[in-house]
Amino acid sequence: MSTLVMKFGGTSVGDAAAFAQVSQIVSEHVRGGDRVIGVVSAMSGVTDDLTRGIVKAVAGDEEGYLRVCDSLRARHMNVITELITDERSRAELTETIDGLIDEYDSLCASVRVLGEVTPRSMDAALSRGERMSARILSALLQQDGVKSEAVDATELIVTDATFGNAALIAQPTREQITSHLVPLLDAGVTPVVTGFIAATENGVTTTLGRGGSDYTAAIIGDALDADAVWIFTDVDGVMTADPRVVPDARVIPVISYTEVGELAYFGAKVLHPRTIRPVIEREIPVWVKNTFHPKRPGTRIERTPRNTDGTVKAVTMITDLTMINVMGRGMVGVPGIAGRTFSAVARANANVLMISQASSEQSICLAVPTKSAPAVVTSLEETLAYELHRRDIDRIWSQDGLVIITAVGAGVRDTPGIDARIFGALGGAGINVIAIAQGSSECSVSLVVGSCDATRAVQQIHKEVINHGK
Ligand code: ASP
Ligand code: MG
């Protein structure tokens, strides 16, 4: 008998068929004797829809937000009509969902009157999506013969009042999860908990940030000392590359927490590593699995990198980048220029994806998203105006149309010659590398190439260091 936290993302509860599939996965495990805690996201796209409705309300567009209400109602009602056969439970569930959408409607109405929305009311609005999906899944489980109860995470997870991205308060959370969920589990009830949402100590609804349901699952897994946390999604696990770019990309069987972190940072659409930290620290295994093929093994995420076969596990790319160069002979040995360069970038609110400094100290290069490049250049010119005037810095210039390609794997650190093989593969294909940086965790190496070479570069690296000999 294991205690399993199973988190189902938006696409896993995207329509009636998906809900039915989820119910089947959960009930199979419950019948097999496992204690299961379900954690659900809102149906796919619902959090975006709820946001859109509020935005329309702020703009005074009553018709607009009412349309959002109607479509949300219709979408959830369709699922209920299709799945819930017992008339009484269908009526009950319909009333609950109606009530939740009515409340959302009133929230939009007041936002429209005020002409503005506070982060606090935004969270109240967004919390409706998970409240609805949790209730539907719980009702479906009961219909499928599993005793179940929907639980709002506002009763379990305590946070500060940073609406939109609230910070966990660990101790009371741990206590509430234990005191609420353990008695349910002991009574043979399967709780279905809303992902993403929480509450302040005073009971005001907050959210954990977009994509926060993974975090909910990890917080619960930690508090209950679960045997495993399973993150169900619509792909087979973490892949060696984006299958649209590399057709023979494969699922990675085991990957470490640090490697997942690098992957997420460098553009792969996997779970955010911060969100699973609570369970990783306790060495509770986390699995990424496919809801629609639950028998496939998926990817196991572990705390410490095990050097499995090969050396590089995955290759990713981030597109639409600009490289900004600060160059000048007068920078040599002058302390503080790098520091001021970075403060200037921070003031422009840009996300720096890669930095490299030539050891001659005559230049610093930064890769930033192209859309923030003009602001960064302006901010740098202002901050370094004196050095530019004195000609200590010759110029600040930028180059658009670039892509960062990152090879991730614990083996990058301790396999001699891996860099050489990567460069060899690119050189052989006639691809020019514009800049290089080694990740600070030392489990990745990043290269900047032109957009036109990006796909080929990913394919070449995948072929040379991931699929080599396969
Ligand atoms: N529904 C929320 C979102 O779309 C949380 C989640 O799906 O994890 O961001
Ligand atoms: Mg999601």
Side-chain angles (χ1 to χ4, degrees), residues 64-82:
Y65 78 70
L66 288 176
R67 260 202 311 276
V68 172
C69 291
D70 286 346
S71 89
L72 286 172
R73 213 183 293 266
R75 201 162 155 212
H76 289 86
M77 289 307 163
N78 275 342
V79 173
I80 296 171
T81 323
E82 212 168 302

Side-chain angles (χ1 to χ4, degrees), residues 144-158:
D144 291 347
V146 172
K147 279 203 277 175
S148 171
E149 200 175 300
V151 179
D152 281 343
T154 48
E155 309 283 316
L156 306 177
I157 300 178
V158 185

Side-chain angles (χ1 to χ4, degrees), residues 107-294:
L107 264 166
C108 288
S110 26
V111 163
R112 188 181 76 94
V113 171
L114 294 169
E116 65 168 356
V117 61
T118 60
R120 174 175 165 159
S121 9
M122 193 59 147
D123 276 359
L126 296 190
S127 73
R128 310 281 133 183
E130 271 72 9
R131 291 187 213 256
M132 293 192 279
S133 55
R135 282 161 177 79
I136 295 176
L137 178 57
S138 180
L140 184 57
L141 281 168
Q142 292 185 60
Q143 173 169 299
D144 291 347
V146 172
K147 279 203 277 175
S148 171
E149 200 175 300
V151 179
D152 281 343
T154 48
E155 309 283 316
L156 306 177
I157 300 178
V158 185
T159 65
D160 68 6
T162 316
F163 297 101
N165 192 17
L168 179 72
I169 305 179
Q171 200 44 41
T173 298
R174 185 175 290 280
E175 285 161 17
Q176 293 205 61
I177 290 175
T178 320
S179 67
H180 274 72
L181 298 187
V182 172
L184 287 178
L185 291 165
D186 286 346
V189 175
T190 300
V192 178
V193 181
T194 55
F196 179 54
I197 71 176
T200 64
E201 268 157 327
N202 300 325
V204 181
T205 301
T206 57
T207 62
L208 302 169
R210 292 304 303 272
S213 300
D214 295 333
Y215 193 29
T216 309
I219 294 167
I220 294 174
D222 170 29
L224 295 180
D225 198 15
D227 294 290
V229 173
W230 292 4
I231 307 284
F232 279 96
T233 175
D234 57 357
V235 292
D236 284 345
V238 183
M239 307 281 293
T240 54
D242 183 339
R244 288 166 303 184
V245 178
V246 181
D248 57 352
R250 290 172 287 118
V251 172
I252 303 168
V254 186
I255 190 166
S256 76
Y257 179 66
T258 325
E259 290 166 328
V260 165
E262 280 317 87
L263 271 178
Y265 182 79
F266 286 108
K269 201 180 132 245
V270 289
L271 72 181
H272 195 299
R274 182 180 61 103
T275 62
I276 56 165
R277 195 158 58 202
V279 277
I280 293 292
E281 274 167 6
R282 277 178 89 110
E283 312 244 356
I284 296 171
V286 175
W287 291 83
V288 179
K289 281 173 153 294
N290 192 338
T291 300
F292 306 99
H293 298 283

Side-chain angles (χ1 to χ4, degrees), residues 428-449:
I431 295 168
N432 181 31
V433 176
I434 295 161
I436 310 159
Q438 182 116 35
S440 56
S441 68
E442 282 189 55
C443 73
S444 70
V445 55
S446 296
L447 322 158
V448 176
V449 303

